[in-house]
């Protein structure tokens, strides 16, 4: 079990490289098309570059987790990312477009349209919670299979059910479990720029004072 878990984590986290990472270039003119195609060719399979008509569409695509970055070219280029979706992908995208902006001798402005929750700045809280739950489940199976071998099957089944309940209860009652369930939850309903309310807000009290769209209808 230890060897298997070690190989699983090393395989997932050792020297990660982007593969078909969806990014958008905002615009519709020939210059935008050329830039997107150039990035696609130079990415050599690392990027999946597409174009979108405007910034609003790019933000929506990011918040719905259909892309991981959007580049707005111009005299003052801007990069849109969503670290709440994947901080690693956001950093990879920023690395790519920082070079693009540097080639144009322009500073790159990075805007995070869906940041992680304040209580979970790395966005990995749910991951470590699942690790804890999996270890608890493995340990329970080992104990029941070993020490419980001499017990009647009925008792072993009851022990398994009890441990399943404890592990499940730990997962559902863990503080901060909702901090990073999804980018949509941290990004709000998507109708108000900068809103960080939950996507299910439906009352006036759930909206920020500056919310122009008003509460989302139930």
């Amino acid at each position: 079990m230890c060897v298997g878990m070690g190989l699983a984590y090393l395989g997932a986290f050792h020297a990660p490289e982007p593969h078909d990472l969806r990014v958008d270039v905002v615009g519709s003119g020939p210059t935008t098309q050329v830039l997107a195609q150039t990035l696609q060719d130079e990415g050599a399979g690392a990027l999946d570059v597409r174009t979108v008509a405007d910034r609003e569409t790019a933000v929506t695509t990011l918040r719905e987790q259909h892309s991981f970055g959007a580049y707005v070219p111009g005299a003052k280029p801007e990069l849109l990312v969503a670290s709440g979706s994947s901080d690693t992908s956001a950093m990879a995208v920023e690395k790519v477009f920082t070079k693009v902006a540097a080639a144009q001798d322009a500073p790159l402005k990075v805007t995070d349209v869906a940041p992680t929750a304040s209580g979970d700045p790395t966005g990995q809280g749910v991951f470590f919670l699942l690790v804890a739950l999996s270890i608890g489940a493995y340990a329970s199976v080992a104990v029941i299979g070993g020490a419980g071998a001499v017990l009647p099957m009925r008792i072993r089944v009851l022990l398994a059910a009890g441990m399943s309940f404890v592990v499940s209860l730990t997962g559902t009652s863990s503080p901060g479990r909702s901090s990073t369930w999804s980018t949509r939850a941290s990004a709000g309903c998507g109708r108000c720029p900068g809103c960080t309310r939950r996507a299910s807000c439906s009352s006036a009290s759930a909206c920020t004072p500056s919310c122009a769209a008003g509460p989302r209808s139930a």
Side-chain angles (χ1 to χ4, degrees), residues 115-218:
T116 56
S118 59
D120 186 15
T122 63
Q124 296 181 347
V126 172
F127 167 75
F128 287 110
L129 172 61
L130 293 177
V131 171
L133 294 179
S134 64
I135 293 175
Y138 290 142
S140 301
V141 170
V143 171
I144 294 173
V150 297
L151 298 175
M153 181 58 68
R154 183 183 59 172
I155 302 300
R156 295 172 66 180
V157 171
L158 290 175
L159 286 174
M163 291 305 301
S164 298
F165 175 76
V166 171
V167 172
S168 300
L169 184 63
T170 301
T172 56
S173 62
S174 177
R177 64 186 182 281
S178 62
S179 60
T180 54
W181 279 127
S182 68
T183 303
R184 296 182 185 182
S186 64
C189 65
R191 301 174 67 198
C192 308
C195 178
T196 57
R197 299 292 183 182
R198 292 188 60 82
S200 59
C201 62
S202 59
S203 64
S205 61
C207 290
T208 58
S210 60
C211 180
R216 187 176 186 175
S217 59

